[in-house]
Every structure is written in C-alpha cells, then in structure tokens.
Amino acid sequence: MKKLLLATAATALMAGSVSAQEIKIGIILGFTGPLESITPNMAAGAELAIAEVNAAGTLLDGATVTSVRADSTCIDAGAATAAGERLVTSDNVNAIMGADCSGVTGAILQNVARPNGVVMISPSATSPGLSTADDDGLFFRTAPSDARQGVVMTEVIMDRGIKSVALTYTNNDYGKGLADAFAAAFTEAGGTVTINSSHEDGKADYSSEVAALASAGGEVLVVAGYTDQGGKGIIQASLDSGAFDTFVLPDGMVGQQLVDDIGDGLTGSFGQYPGTDSAGAELFQGLATEAGFDGTSAFAPESYDAAALILLAMEAAKSTASADFKDHVMDLANAPGEEIFPGELAKAIEIIKAGGDIDYVGATAVELIGPGESAGNYREIEIKDGVIETVNFR
C-alpha cells in the first residue's frame, strides 16, 4: 500500500511539474464499439481546440500541447480503466478529455482519475448518476444530464401530438438512466409508456424483443440505445416485422451512419441531441468544415469545449497540475467576464494573462451548473430523404 501511495504521489508530482514545453491531453473515447461512427468527429473537435492553442503559442508562456488517444470501447469498463491507466501512468497525460459513454466514464473516474488526482471533462457521458458521483472536484461534463434530456424528449414527442410510446433501452448506466428520466417525465406530462424494457447489445437477432414491444403497442418506439449496436438492431427488426415505422432517437442514436445503414425506413423518425443555434455553434461548424470534419456531429462541439476548458483552466492556474487548475473550470465557464467563442482561445489566454475575467461560451453556449455539468440545450432533428435535418432548438 505504501509503495502504491508513493507511486500515486509521484505521478501527481510529475503531472504538475511537466516542462512548459509539453502538455499532454488524453482523449479517451469509444474508437471501437457502439459509438465508433461518431467518435472520430468528437476526437477531431477536441484536437481542433488543441491545434488552436498551439497556433497561438502563448499558453503557459509557450507550451506545446499534444493529444494522446485511447479507446474506451464505450461498454467495457475493464478495458476502459486499463486504457485510462495507461494514459496517466505511461503517457503521463495532464488531464483527460472523455470518456464518452456513462458506464466507462464512471469507471475511469473512480479507478483512475480520483486515485491519481487527474481532471477529466466528458463531452458526452449523460447518466444522471454521474451528477452525484464522488469526484473530489475533478470531474466535469460539457453535456447535460439525461434528467434534462428526459424532459426535452417528452416535449419533442408531446408537441407532435403523440401520447403513447413503447420504450427500449440499452442495458447499461446510460440506457437505464435515460429511460427512467424519460418515463418519469412523459408520465408526469400525461403520456403513457406501454412498456419499458431493456435490450442487450451485440445480439444477432432482436425479434423477440421487438415482439414484446409490438405486443405492448404505442404510436412510436423510443430507442435509447447506440447507433452502431443494439439500437440499430431493434430498429431494423421493427421495420422487418412491421412492428413500428417511426422511431424516437435520443443522443446515442443520432448518427449519419445509422441513417445510411437503415435507409428509407428512418424517414419521418425524429429525436434530439445536445446542441444550440448560438453564434458559437455556427463559428465552430465553420472551423470544423475548414479542418475537414462534421461540426454538427453529435458531441463534436462538446468535445471542443471540454478540451478548451481544460487548457484555459491551466492558464488561469498557471499550472498543469489538476489540483491547481480544477477549481478554475467553473469560473471560466460562467459569467461574469468577456465572452469567448470558438476561434478565440488566443484572445482568452491573453485576457487571463492580463488578470481579466472570461465567460467561456464556446461552441455549445457553455453554462456549468451544480456538480460541474452543462445546463443543457438541445437540437431537435428529423430524418428526411436520408439526411439528419435540424428542425428546432430547445
């Protein structure tokens, strides 16, 4: 135990004393697994912020920032923990941008971030359970809790005149958390959830799950799953059997690859994922296009904001040590101060250096509340002619 404590202390010391010439940010996302089709844009979003800071050349008086990628798998807590451990103990990262899915995020937080005293900011872990997780002030998220998404999804459905739904969710922290939040909000609003059942990822056949959902009935099927896994299988089996023809797609189900794979069967389906119509969102989308990736992809803007907040907090603390800069994240993300948008990270660094205040608005109109999570803005979408179209913001 004594050796373990000494090793942990040494790791923390190394993180705080890294030369001004190099800062390492770990980017741990599901590069394989049920979200692998949207993960590349998330990583690109974070690395866009890093590139912007490097181009400025002024962070901590000339530090160079590099990213180190690791695979969370999204679903394997053991593999995610091991990957996170490698980032901290072998790669000596100063902070973690990630993880993505809620279960692996919680595992890395408890098994890696807290024991090693490393800040992590997730762009997409949305389980309500993370709001009350013990985190020693090290954990933040630029995505809102699914407690908020449950209410927004209820509004999206009710506004379309739909009063009864069947509900299926992937059997993990994310799926159950979202399903419970939605079912409570929808029922309170006067709607009926005919069935609330889980499904397992990785199955070749979802006909029995779909048969149970169809038997319960409902005007539409809410699928709280993953684009590249069981959620897709549930939709395909529903279309093949004629059980449902319209699907409600929350954040984990919004991806162009899913639309391409399913085809015309998704026409008319709708849903929501975090996003805003703010000036920052438009600026970010332009920068992303120039960088060669889709800035409207789910959680790409949140990833940019997560990386930007980490780096700006380091500047505010004049330190790369998590123990020093963790207490600056909330202040930078909220008023008062000069508003900072995508493309203005160099400006933000100069203001901080001069002793001024900033209000980091970023790509997602960042406002951190309570236990360091986004207050929550959502993009309402509908599938039309093979394209994910934004029809409203909430």
Side-chain angles (χ1 to χ4, degrees), residues 159-222:
D159 285 353
R160 293 170 182 256
I162 297 168
K163 296 299 176 64
S164 69
V165 304
L167 168 61
T168 181
Y169 63 90
T170 184
N171 190 20
N172 62 18
D173 291 353
Y174 160 68
K176 188 173 189 326
L178 177 54
D180 288 348
F182 166 69
F186 194 68
T187 301
E188 184 177 351
T192 299
V193 178
T194 62
I195 184 175
N196 184 353
S197 66
S198 65
H199 62 262
E200 301 294 335
D201 288 323
K203 295 183 63 175
D205 182 9
Y206 288 93
S207 57
S208 62
E209 288 87 348
V210 168
L213 293 165
S215 178
E219 298 170 69
V220 296
L221 175 60
V222 179

Side-chain angles (χ1 to χ4, degrees), residues 113-249:
R114 289 185 68 201
N116 291 283
V118 175
V119 162
M120 59 187 294
I121 303 184
S122 171
S124 59
T126 55
S127 170
L130 289 169
S131 297
T132 55
D134 291 332
D135 65 2
D136 302 332
L138 296 165
F139 178 67
F140 306 86
R141 46 184 174 170
T142 49
S145 164
D146 280 331
R148 167 70 175 150
Q149 184 171 193
V151 173
V152 172
M153 184 155 54
T154 291
E155 294 171 353
V156 168
I157 294 171
M158 288 285 191
D159 285 353
R160 293 170 182 256
I162 297 168
K163 296 299 176 64
S164 69
V165 304
L167 168 61
T168 181
Y169 63 90
T170 184
N171 190 20
N172 62 18
D173 291 353
Y174 160 68
K176 188 173 189 326
L178 177 54
D180 288 348
F182 166 69
F186 194 68
T187 301
E188 184 177 351
T192 299
V193 178
T194 62
I195 184 175
N196 184 353
S197 66
S198 65
H199 62 262
E200 301 294 335
D201 288 323
K203 295 183 63 175
D205 182 9
Y206 288 93
S207 57
S208 62
E209 288 87 348
V210 168
L213 293 165
S215 178
E219 298 170 69
V220 296
L221 175 60
V222 179
V223 185
Y226 293 131
T227 57
D228 304 324
Q229 257 298 340
K232 181 169 103 172
I234 290 283
I235 289 175
Q236 191 62 66
S238 297
L239 292 170
D240 291 344
S241 65
F244 297 93
D245 58 13
T246 304
F247 307 92
V248 181
L249 309 174

Side-chain angles (χ1 to χ4, degrees), residues 1 4-13 81 84-85 88-89 96 105-120 134-136 138 322:
M1 176 61 76
L4 177 61
L5 290 174
L6 288 173
T8 299
T11 300
L13 181 61
T81 296
E85 194 70 40
V88 172
T89 60
I96 294 172
T105 298
I108 294 169
L109 171 61
Q110 300 304 333
N111 298 318
V112 179
R114 289 185 68 201
N116 291 283
V118 175
V119 162
M120 59 187 294
D134 291 332
D135 65 2
D136 302 332
L138 296 165
S322 290

Side-chain angles (χ1 to χ4, degrees), residues 301-315:
E302 286 80 6
S303 299
Y304 174 93
D305 288 345
L309 281 172
I310 288 170
L311 297 173
L312 295 179
M314 288 179 177
E315 181 62 48

Side-chain angles (χ1 to χ4, degrees), residues 41 287-294:
N41 289 321
L287 293 171
T289 299
E290 290 178 15
F293 69 95
D294 181 7

